[in-house]
Amino acid sequence: QVRLVQSGGGLVQAGGSLKLSCKASGINFSRADMAWYRQAPEKQRELVANVSSDGSKNYGDSVSGRFTIARDNKWRTLYLEMNSLKPEDTAVYYCNTFWGRPFWGQGTQVTVSS
């Protein structure tokens, strides 16, 4: 079955950096479009960044220039490098793909203190 297993995240001070990882199984990873979403308390889930199977990348306006999405097809892993973190980046971050239907990672808490 399809599984997306996340790691990384945690607590960091404003201006700091964190890196998230998402290990995929059960899909042909190199052919899958992948994405990171986040959901802050009492807010809707929003797209952070996505990377298509051909390597094209898109970023949400609030993270552009600070976050970098990357994929390693050999290791079937998706990454999100987050720099210059702000308190408003505090959220649960989710790895996502669509493989017949949407699949989600388990979620990872990122907390940025001011």
Side-chain angles (χ1 to χ4, degrees):
Q1 75 274 25
V2 178
R3 291 191 69 199
L4 300 175
V5 179
Q6 298 178 218
S7 60
L11 173 64
V12 66
Q13 288 188 330
S17 299
L18 285 172
K19 187 173 184 177
L20 306 181
S21 300
C22 172
K23 177 83 170 180
S25 59
I27 62 172
N28 187 335
F29 184 80
S30 64
R31 294 178 57 192
D33 298 337
M34 303 295 299
W36 288 101
Y37 284 77
R38 68 185 182 186
Q39 188 165 19
E42 301 182 1
K43 291 189 177 181
Q44 288 193 336
R45 194 170 293 191
E46 65 171 351
L47 176 68
V48 175
N50 58 28
V51 57
S52 66
S53 58
D54 67 3
S56 300
K57 301 176 183 180
N58 290 291
Y59 295 91
D61 290 342
S62 61
V63 306
S64 183
R66 299 187 298 122
F67 290 12
T68 302
I69 191 170
R71 63 188 299 156
D72 186 328
N73 290 339
K74 177 181 178 181
W75 296 105
R76 303 192 308 277
T77 301
L78 179 72
Y79 300 100
L80 183 69
E81 180 129 22
M82 304 180 290
N83 297 314
S84 302
L85 282 160
K86 304 175 181 180
E88 50 263 45
D89 294 318
T90 295
V92 178
Y93 285 70
Y94 296 92
C95 175
N96 164 268
T97 191
F98 186 92
W99 197 257
R101 67 168 178 86
F103 288 92
W104 298 91
Q106 80 273 22
T108 301
Q109 178 68 47
V110 171
T111 303
V112 185
S113 63
S114 56

